[in-house]
Structure formats: C-alpha cells, structure tokens
Amino acid sequence: AAALEKQWERALQATSYGYTDIVKGDGSNFLIPGYYKQSSSNHNGAATKFSSSGSVIWSLIHADNLSAQKDAFRCGTLGHDGNYVLAGFRETAATNKSDIRIVKLNASTGDKIWDKIYDYGVGNDGALDIKEVASGGYIVIGYATTKLSSPGVPEEISIWLIKIDENGDEEWSETYNNPDAYTIRGRCVTPTDDGGYFLVANKYEDISSDPMIVIKTDVNGVEQWRHTVSNSYATGGIWVHQNAQGNYTIAGRYNIRFALITIDAITHTHSAAIFGPWHSNDIVYDADLMPDGGYIIVGKEYIDTYSYTYLYYVCTDSQGNVAWEVSARGVGAGSEYGRSVATLRDGSTVILYYDSGNALPDEKGWHLLKIGANFHPTGDFTFTPVSPYNGQPVTFAADLDDADGTITQM
C-alpha cells in the first residue's frame, strides 16, 4: 500500500523551544507540550495549541513558582471537562532535585486552572505518561528515587504510579521495583477493561540492554502479575494499548528491531512482530492507533554508519504486518527524527519531528507534518442566490474549523 499523502507541513517556533508530545483535543485541534529554554539553567514548561490546518491558536509559557529551576511538560491528555492535563517535572536549583509537576490548562485560553507538585521525598522523580481514567481522574506513571546510594550500592529508582482526581489531588500512589536491578522507570500506562492498569517499564526512558518489565494491577494499584520481556539486546516499550482481544499491544523495540509486542492477558507470555530498519541505535519514540485498527509508529533510523538519522514512520495492520513505511531525510546535512504522532478525530495523522540540519535557517528545528485524508463531510445544502443547473460542477470545501463549508466555484 502507498503511504498517506502529505496535507501540509509547518516549521514551529525558534530553537529555544523543545516539544515532547502531541495531545489530541476537541475536534481536530491538538496541543503540543514541552518547554521554553531561557538559559542553560532555566527551562519553563510551555504548551502550544494548533488548529487542524496547523495555525497557532495560542502559545503560553507556564513557569513553576520557583525563581530558578528547570521544568518541562513531557506528556498530556484531554481531560473529562475538555481541558488539557499535562505532566512532567520541575527541578529546583537549591537542591538539584526533580519532582513531578502536573498542570491543568484551559483549552480555550491556555490559562492555568491548577498546578500541583508530587514529591516522593528521596531524590529525582519524573512523569512520563498520563491517561484519562473512565471512572474519573487520571493515572500518571513515571519514576521515583526510592533509595539513595551508599558505599558500594547505587541508588534505587523505581516505577511510580499515581492516581489523581479532577483537581489534581492524589488519591493513592504505588511504587514497584526490579529485584534484578537497581533501576526501572515506568514509561507508559493504560487503564484496563477490568478497572485496573497495565504498566510498561524500562531501565531508561527508551531502550536498554536490560529487560522490559510489564505489570498488571488492580483498580488500587495493587500488583496482580508481572512479566519480563528479555532478549539479547535493545528492548523497550514506549506506548501501550489494550486491544479488542483483551491483550496488550506495546510499540517499541525488540532485539534491536522496531516492533509491536503483544502480552497475552491470560498466559502472561509475549510475542513480537518486528519490522523496519536494523541498526543498534534506531529508536522508537511514539505510536498511535489508526482509524482502521492498525498502528502508526514514529522514530529515527540511523544511516551512514551512525553519522545521520532519518525520520522514520511505519503503518501496520492490527497484527503488525507492515502496510507502508517512510524513511525521510530533510534538506542539508544533519539528522531528523520523529518525536510524536497522533491520529486526529478528523481521520488525519500529525507527526512531530525534528530536523537538525536543514539548509534554510528558518526551517531548522521542530516541524509538524500532517498526512492522510480527512473524513468526508456530508450534508444537505441550500444554494443562493440561485441553484446550480443539472450537471453544473460545484466545488465545495469544509473542515472541522469551517463546519458549514464554503462554495468556491459555480
């Protein structure tokens, strides 16, 4: 099958901005969280909302209430009330220690509704994924330093799972460690059909030579079972979804290769569909469901003996069979990589990617790429001042930002 056609491409703001995720909004709008770099020692959380055509609706910086620190939004979700909930971290200059920071932003204006800090109390903490919970509130996964280092013993970093309510108040939290190693970070989470949660954890945020661990919990975060996905090299999960069969589909890496890894909910075993490039430093960064039940995955492919990377994205069916794939390099010497992807409510797909070497200064940096056709609108129309005659060509354009549409030629 052929890759989806490009609708448009946009260069984003100056290189002082960093972007991390695409958060689906109401209609075909979407939001990108990240940070604004004021200096090497001072980053502030930032977010920009876009229309379906890639136009900026609003862009705001939301600094933490400390005067000197680093903070950033790493992930987000659309809340029950139609506003955005973003999660990440804040690092204080005084202690050089990071805590989890979560904010709720008004979807219309970008103004803060609330701003909360979650501190495990030992060392560095951070959030890497947040999901809406159908019964109310949100589930947040990341990591917490649970033990400081001592002579001959490294610090212990554990998975940290936090359930918060609509106001950002903590309802409960649980940590989960790795008995075989000192470090394990919660990378992604999904609510499950039985009201519990399914967690995916890696040693690092993306991939490592250490095994990936998955954990199933009940509604209160109590561990029910876990499974270790191990092989010879480079395994990790970055996105998870409970599929129609009740099993869990994880997008990530399996033994170096790009992969969709399935965890059987009954037998607690795994299988993997592998595809794409085969370089040890290739990385998967994000994935999403497609309207037909398949998956789209984005990341980077190393080229030229690891000198450069290409933007790489691939679409599969629900079983992990490749429908089409794209490996793309921008203009000029440098590297590109796909950071996030989202399939919007209008049926199109938006990819966030970075180009480090575009020959045009205004084009170097972060980009948005929209691919795929929108769903076709339907409706009844009244023509004024006169109706077209039978067989007369009429050109009609409409999108979710212009629901009534426009007659452009009669």
Side-chain angles (χ1 to χ4, degrees):
L4 299 179
E5 293 184 1
K6 181 171 74 173
Q7 285 198 31
W8 50 256
E9 186 169 358
R10 304 280 187 270
L12 301 185
Q13 300 182 68
T15 54
S16 53
Y17 281 83
Y19 299 99
T20 56
D21 195 14
I22 300 175
V23 183
K24 303 175 189 181
D26 55 322
S28 58
N29 297 325
F30 58 95
L31 178 135
I32 299 183
Y35 62 88
Y36 174 73
K37 185 177 180 180
Q38 295 188 352
S39 69
S40 60
S41 61
N42 193 347
H43 298 179
N44 296 139
T48 304
K49 183 178 180 181
F50 295 87
S51 71
S52 63
S53 61
S55 301
V56 173
I57 298 175
W58 51 258
S59 183
L60 292 172
I61 298 169
H62 288 295
D64 186 45
N65 57 9
L66 298 176
S67 58
Q69 79 292 318
K70 293 180 181 178
D71 58 273
F73 303 132
R74 302 291 305 275
C75 51
T77 187
L78 188 68
H80 296 275
D81 57 2
N83 295 310
Y84 293 103
V85 184
L86 308 181
F89 71 93
R90 70 96 183 258
E91 179 183 295
T92 63
T95 64
N96 199 32
K97 184 176 75 70
S98 63
D99 306 317
I100 289 178
R101 182 188 182 200
I102 303 178
V103 304
K104 176 176 274 192
L105 303 183
N106 183 293
S108 298
T109 65
D111 295 331
K112 276 196 298 186
I113 298 173
W114 49 256
D115 189 341
K116 301 292 177 74
I117 299 296
Y118 310 81
D119 180 9
Y120 191 80
V122 176
N124 290 324
D125 313 320
L128 297 176
D129 194 16
I130 182 170
K131 295 289 173 55
E132 182 186 46
V133 177
S135 59
Y138 308 90
I139 193 72
V140 184
I141 195 170
Y143 57 90
T145 302
T146 46
K147 290 182 182 179
L148 293 176
S149 61
S150 58
V153 180
E155 68 179 3
E156 180 182 86
I157 298 175
S158 303
I159 305 163
W160 194 11
L161 188 69
I162 308 172
K163 175 64 168 59
I164 62 174
D165 65 16
E166 288 296 328
N167 298 314
D169 296 324
E170 182 180 321
E171 296 182 342
W172 54 259
S173 72
E174 293 284 346
T175 58
Y176 315 84
N177 65 6
N178 180 7
D180 298 324
Y182 291 102
T183 298
I184 189 74
R185 292 174 170 86
R187 181 60 180 86
C188 50
V189 63
T190 187
T192 57
D193 290 344
D194 63 359
Y197 304 98
F198 188 82
L199 292 54
V200 177
N202 313 317
K203 181 176 181 179
Y204 302 112
E205 292 183 16
D206 300 308
I207 61 170
S208 74
S209 57
D210 289 52
M212 176 178 73
I213 294 176
V214 299
I215 298 174
K216 172 67 175 66
T217 79
D218 68 10
V219 66
N220 296 310
V222 176
E223 182 175 334
Q224 296 176 313
W225 55 267
R226 70 169 59 192
H227 174 67
T228 300
V229 180
S230 60
N231 49 55
S232 60
Y233 187 66
T235 296
I238 50 83
W239 178 89
V240 63
H241 163 72
Q242 187 172 21
N243 61 34
Q245 291 72 42
N247 300 318
Y248 305 99
T249 301
I250 302 167
R253 297 280 303 283
Y254 186 82
N255 198 19
I256 298 179
R257 303 292 299 276
F258 281 62
L260 286 171
I261 304 165
T262 299
I263 307 296
D264 191 292
I266 304 299
T267 64
H268 310 163
T269 57
H270 70 271
S271 59
I274 59 176
F275 42 81
W278 193 59
H279 304 111
S280 60
N281 290 329
D282 296 337
I283 295 178
V284 176
Y285 281 111
D286 198 15
D288 201 7
L289 281 172
M290 295 294 280
D292 62 359
Y295 303 93
I296 186 166
I297 303 166
V298 299
K300 65 180 178 182
E301 175 188 7
Y302 268 81
I303 304 294
D304 301 333
T305 319
Y306 312 129
S307 298
Y308 302 103
T309 63
Y310 285 5
L311 162 66
Y312 177 78
Y313 52 101
V314 56
C315 183
T316 76
D317 64 16
S318 61
Q319 305 302 311
N321 301 305
V322 173
W324 51 263
E325 58 187 336
V326 173
S327 181
R329 185 175 180 181
V331 179
S335 295
E336 295 76 38
Y337 68 91
R339 184 64 181 84
S340 188
V341 63
T343 300
L344 303 182
R345 298 173 189 268
D346 64 5
S348 63
T349 298
V350 174
I351 295 171
L352 171 69
Y353 78 93
Y354 186 80
D355 183 348
S356 68
N358 200 298
L360 303 174
D362 292 341
E363 297 295 316
K364 181 178 180 179
W366 291 97
H367 292 248
L368 285 173
L369 171 65
K370 188 173 186 181
I371 59 175
N374 294 341
F375 294 132
H376 294 158
T378 60
D380 297 322
F381 308 102
T382 300
F383 298 92
T384 58
V386 295
S387 296
Y389 58 81
N390 187 23
Q392 180 181 357
V394 174
T395 301
F396 174 81
D399 59 34
L400 293 184
D401 294 331
D402 178 23
D404 294 332
T406 302
I407 300 296
T408 58
Q409 181 180 351
M410 274 185 60

